[in-house]
C-alpha cells in the first residue's frame, strides 16, 4: 500500500472588504482565481495559467546543491507546464527562524497563489501564514504537521530519497568488496564514515539506508556518523570528513548540502559518495556517485493541481518508480560491474521485491525490530519498516547495530 494520507485542496472564501496591504493582496489573489465544480460535486480553486504566481523559500541558493535541486525542479516544472520564469518568486538564503515567517508573508502579499517551503525549520512559521491566507496553497518539504493541522490549504511533501541512498550504498559496498579482494583492506576494516547534518529522522533514515545498502554487499561493514549541526557549512563538513578519515573510515558519504566532504575526500585520497549533485567536478578521483532528488516530479504535480483545481495530497512522497529520486552518473572510482548491479537493485525496489528497511537485515541492541509506533501509527508490518508511506516526512530514527552516531 502506497500513500494512505487523504488528498485535500484549498477552498476559496468570499472576497473580504478589508483595508490595508494584507487584505488587498488577499483580494487580488482571489481575483486571479476561479472556481469549478468537480465530478463529485465539490467546488475547487482554479488559477488561470497566465495569472499564476508561485513563491519558494530556500535555505540556500543556486550555488548550494540542495537548494539548487529545488530551484531547477521548479523551473523545469514551470517550463513543462508553459509558465514563464517571471511567474516564479524565489527567496533564497532564508534562515529557519522568524525570517521565514516574514518571507512567507511577503510572498503572500505579492499575490502568490502557491507557495513552497523547502527546509524543515520553516514549517511552523509557514503554518501561521497559512492560517491567515486560506485562499493560498502552501506546500512544505520534509515537514510532518500537515495531517494534524486541520488546514485544507497546507500540505507536506518529500521524496523517497532513502531508496537512492540505499542503492548508492550498494555502490559503496561494491567498492569496499573490490578493496578487500585486492588486499587493500581487510573485511574488518570496511568502515564507512558519514557526515550528517542533524540527528533528525530525515538524516538517520538516509544514513541507515546507505549503510544497509553497503552491508548487503559486505556484511562486515560498520559506519561512524558525525553531525555538523548545520545543513550547509563547507568548512565544517570538510573538517568532519577529515576527522572521520583519521578515525579509520575508508569511504565517506554525507547528508550535508555542500561539496565540503567530497573536496576533503579528494585531498585525502579517500573514496566518497556525495549528495544532491554530481561530485566528480570536485572529487574526480574519489567520487563514486550521488543520490539526488528530482523535485520536478512534485512541482509539476502541485502546479498542475492548482491550475486544474484538483486536490493536492496532504502527504506526498515518491521514489524510483515515479522518477522522483535518481543517482548521478558513476565516477571512475566505481568498482567494475557497479552499473549493472545498481540497475538490478533499483528494479527490485521499483517492483517491491526489495524493501530498504527489511527488518531481517538489521537489529537494534541485538534484537530484530517487530513493532515501532512512535506516534500511534504502526510502521512495521509485512517484515519491513514502512518509511514515508503514512507520512511524507521520514520516520526511521532507530540507531541500528553497526552504526556509531555521535555529535561532532
Amino acid at each position: 500500500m502506497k500513500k494512505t494520507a487523504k488528498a485535500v485542496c484549498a477552498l476559496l472564501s468570499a472576497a473580504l472588504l478589508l483595508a490595508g496591504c494584507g487584505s488587498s493582496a488577499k483580494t487580488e489573489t482571489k481575483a486571479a482565481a476561479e472556481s469549478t465544480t468537480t465530478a463529485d460535486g465539490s467546488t475547487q480553486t482554479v488559477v488561470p495559467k497566465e495569472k499564476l504566481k508561485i513563491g519558494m523559500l530556500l535555505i540556500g541558493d543556486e550555488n548550494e546543491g540542495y537548494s539548487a535541486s529545488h530551484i531547477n525542479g521548479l523551473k523545469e516544472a514551470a517550463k513543462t507546464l508553459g509558465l514563464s520564469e517571471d511567474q516564479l518568486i524565489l527567496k533564497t538564503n532564508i534562515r529557519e527562524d522568524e525570517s521565514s515567517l516574514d518571507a512567507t508573508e511577503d510572498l503572500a502579499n505579492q499575490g502568490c497563489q502557491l507557495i513552497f517551503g523547502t527546509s524543515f525549520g520553516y514549517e511552523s512559521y509557514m503554518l501561521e501564514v497559512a492560517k491567515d491566507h486560506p485562499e493560498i496553497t502552501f506546500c512544505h518539504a520534509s515537514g510532518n504537521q500537515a495531517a494534524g493541522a486541520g488546514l485544507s490549504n497546507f500540505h507536506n511533501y518529500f521524496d523517497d530519497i532513502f531508496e537512492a541512498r540505499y542503492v548508492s550504498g550498494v555502490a559503496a559496498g561494491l567498492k569496499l568488496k573490490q578493496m578487500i579482494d585486492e588486499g587493500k583492506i581487510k573485511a574488518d576494516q570496511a568502515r564507512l564514515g558519514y557526515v550528517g547534518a542533524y540527528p533528525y529522522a530525515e538524516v538517520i533514515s538516509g544514513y541507515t539506508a546507505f549503510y544497509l545498502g553497503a552491508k548487503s554487499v559486505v556484511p562486515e561493514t560498520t559506519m561512524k556518523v558525525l553531525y555538523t549541526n548545520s545543513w550547509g557549512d563547507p568548512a565544517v563538513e570538510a573538517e568532519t570528513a577529515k576527522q572521520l578519515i583519521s578515525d579509520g573510515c575508508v569511504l565517506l558519504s554525507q547528508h550535508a548540502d555542500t561539496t565540503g566532504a567530497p573536496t576533503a575526500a579528494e585531498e585525502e585520497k579517500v573514496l566518497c559518495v556525495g549528495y544532491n549533485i554530481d561530485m566528480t567536478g570536485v572529487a574526480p578521483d574519489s567520487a563514486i556517485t550521488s543520490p539526488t532528488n528530482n523535485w520536478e516530479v512534485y512541482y509539476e504535480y502541485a502546479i498542475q493541481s492548482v491550475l486544474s483545481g484538483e486536490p493536492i495530497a496532504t502527504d506526498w512522497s515518491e521514489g524510483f518508480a515515479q522518477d522522483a529520486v535518481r543517482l548521478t552518473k558513476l565516477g571512475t572510482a566505481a568498482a567494475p560491474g557497479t552499473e549493472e548491479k545498481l540497475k538490478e537493485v533499483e528494479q527490485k525496489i521499483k517492483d517491491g521485491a526489495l524493501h530498504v528497511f527489511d527488518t531481517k537485515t538489521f537489529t537494534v541492541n541485538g534484537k530484530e525490530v517487530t513493532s515501532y509506533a512512535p506516534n500511534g501509527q504502526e510502521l512495521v508490518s509485512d517484515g519491513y519498516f514502512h518509511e514515508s508511506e503514512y507520512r511524507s516526512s521520514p520516520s526511521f530514527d532507530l540507531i541500528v547495530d553497526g552504526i556509531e552516531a555521535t555529535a561532532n
Side-chain angles (χ1 to χ4, degrees):
M1 178 177 63
K2 186 71 174 173
K3 313 300 172 297
T4 61
K6 295 179 182 178
V8 296
C9 72
L11 300 177
L12 280 179
S13 58
L16 301 177
L17 299 177
L18 299 175
C21 176
S23 61
S24 63
K26 185 179 291 189
T27 303
E28 179 184 345
T29 301
K30 290 180 179 180
E34 301 171 354
S35 295
T36 187
T37 302
T38 62
D40 63 3
S42 62
T43 302
Q44 306 288 358
T45 302
V46 178
V47 180
K49 184 183 296 186
E50 66 277 6
K51 294 183 179 179
L52 181 62
K53 283 187 181 180
I54 302 170
M56 177 176 277
L57 274 67
L58 299 135
I59 193 75
D61 56 27
E62 65 278 358
N63 297 309
E64 172 262 299
Y66 176 75
S67 295
S69 68
H70 281 285
I71 293 170
N72 293 337
L74 180 60
K75 288 183 176 180
E76 286 300 315
K79 181 179 178 181
T80 298
L81 295 173
L83 277 66
S84 63
E85 287 196 15
D86 61 11
Q87 291 176 265
L88 311 179
I89 304 175
L90 306 179
K91 286 190 171 289
T92 58
N93 299 305
I94 303 299
R95 298 188 301 276
E96 294 177 306
D97 55 23
E98 287 194 2
S99 302
S100 63
L101 187 149
D102 295 338
T104 306
E105 189 66 58
D106 185 58
L107 290 172
N109 290 335
Q110 289 191 58
C112 292
Q113 300 97 340
L114 176 59
I115 297 175
F116 296 107
T118 64
S119 197
F120 181 80
Y122 296 158
E123 185 169 30
S124 295
Y125 300 106
M126 288 188 70
L127 268 169
E128 290 303 308
V129 182
K131 292 173 185 176
D132 295 333
H133 292 274
E135 77 287 356
I136 297 173
T137 299
F138 296 83
C139 301
H140 178 265
S142 77
N144 54 21
Q145 299 183 54
L151 299 179
S152 62
N153 64 327
F154 193 85
H155 317 275
N156 285 143
Y157 66 99
F158 205 57
D159 60 27
D160 295 349
I161 190 62
F162 63 91
E163 293 182 353
R165 289 195 185 278
Y166 180 91
V167 179
S168 74
V170 173
L174 291 169
K175 191 63 184 182
L176 291 175
K177 185 176 185 303
Q178 181 189 16
M179 295 167 71
I180 293 168
D181 291 344
E182 293 176 351
K184 294 180 179 178
I185 62 171
K186 296 179 180 180
D188 61 4
Q189 295 174 314
R191 185 167 171 79
L192 302 171
Y194 202 95
V195 180
Y198 292 96
Y200 297 162
E202 178 185 342
V203 179
I204 297 170
S205 170
Y207 68 60
T208 306
F210 174 74
Y211 170 70
L212 293 176
K215 191 171 181 288
S216 72
V217 181
V218 180
E220 299 87 350
T221 301
T222 59
M223 186 166 76
K224 181 171 183 177
V225 180
L226 292 178
Y227 298 110
T228 62
N229 297 310
S230 168
W231 291 117
D233 187 324
V236 172
E237 289 163 34
E239 178 185 346
T240 303
K242 290 180 179 180
Q243 184 174 340
L244 288 166
I245 293 168
S246 69
D247 289 341
C249 298
V250 298
L251 193 155
L252 305 182
S253 191
Q254 66 183 84
H255 188 149
D257 294 343
T258 81
T259 60
T263 299
E266 182 76 5
E267 291 175 1
E268 300 294 327
K269 295 180 170 47
V270 172
L271 298 159
C272 68
V273 169
Y275 180 41
N276 287 313
I277 60 173
D278 179 1
M279 294 295 184
T280 57
V282 297
D285 297 323
S286 297
I288 297 173
T289 188
S290 296
T292 187
N293 311 279
N294 181 22
W295 294 113
E296 179 185 358
V297 175
Y298 180 75
Y299 293 134
E300 187 173 334
Y301 157 74
I303 295 168
Q304 183 59 59
S305 296
V306 171
L307 291 175
S308 61
E310 294 298 318
I312 296 176
T314 303
D315 279 270
W316 184 101
S317 189
E318 301 292 352
F320 276 126
Q322 290 73 29
D323 194 32
V325 299
R326 298 171 175 173
L327 292 180
T328 61
K329 68 179 182 180
L330 293 176
T332 57
T338 297
E339 183 174 0
E340 295 77 13
K341 182 62 176 179
L342 298 194
K343 286 181 180 178
E344 175 190 326
V345 175
E346 182 179 326
Q347 190 59 51
K348 286 182 179 180
I349 292 175
K350 288 180 180 180
D351 295 341
L354 188 158
H355 297 289
V356 170
F357 296 108
D358 183 331
T359 54
K360 286 186 169 37
T361 65
F362 65 90
T363 57
V364 176
N365 296 324
K367 297 179 180 179
E368 183 177 333
V369 177
T370 58
S371 177
Y372 193 64
N375 298 307
Q377 171 70 63
E378 179 58 66
L379 299 176
V380 177
S381 62
D382 302 322
Y384 70 99
F385 188 106
H386 291 251
E387 181 69 306
S388 295
E389 292 188 22
Y390 304 106
R391 292 288 182 268
S392 56
S393 179
S395 301
F396 192 100
D397 59 0
L398 302 169
I399 306 300
V400 308
D401 296 332
I403 297 178
E404 174 191 353
T406 58
N408 186 18

